[in-house]
Amino acid sequence: MTEPARARGAAFWICYAITAVSAIVSVSFAVIAVVDGGVAADNANALYAAARSIALVLVVLIAPIFRVDSALLVGAVAMTIVQGIDTFIGAVQGDLAKTVGPAVLCLATLIAATVLARSDRMRDRD
């Protein structure tokens, strides 16, 4: 395996791992909110959040099956946006843990996706 191909493979798997952790953390909190509130009508927001989180985690988890970098990058961008908004919500609520955790995941996903995207550009130049 050539060095650029190895670097691209590593970039894919690192981006995948970070994005998957981000998606799994997100879906975990959504499911916890549903379990805490039940399926009552007043818990509709938690149910909608869980539905979207489950869809995102499934998209991210199946990305390696097809090994399409662009699919993983779409998932990474979506998770970056989700974690960025979660950071804002945590800050507005004044909750340090709900601010720092999503901020770290947001930045880590953004960096990993950037490295993967740049490795693709380098591969296309060869």
Side-chain angles (χ1 to χ4, degrees), residues 20-91:
V21 167
S22 179
I24 291 168
V25 167
S26 181
V27 79
S28 298
F29 281 106
V31 169
I32 289 169
V34 169
V35 169
D36 285 349
V39 189
D42 61 338
N43 199 31
N45 289 338
L47 291 168
Y48 282 117
R52 284 150 181 78
S53 293
I54 291 168
L56 281 170
V57 81
L58 289 175
V59 167
V60 170
L61 291 178
I62 65 168
I65 294 171
F66 301 103
R67 279 290 263 153
V68 178
D69 295 348
S70 57
L72 178 57
L73 287 171
V74 167
V77 168
M79 289 315 305
T80 299
I81 293 167
V82 167
Q83 295 295 354
I85 293 170
D86 287 351
T87 300
F88 174 75
I89 293 168

Side-chain angles (χ1 to χ4, degrees), residues 85-104:
I85 293 170
D86 287 351
T87 300
F88 174 75
I89 293 168
V92 168
Q93 292 177 341
D95 189 331
L96 186 62
K98 290 182 181 176
T99 304
V100 174
V104 168

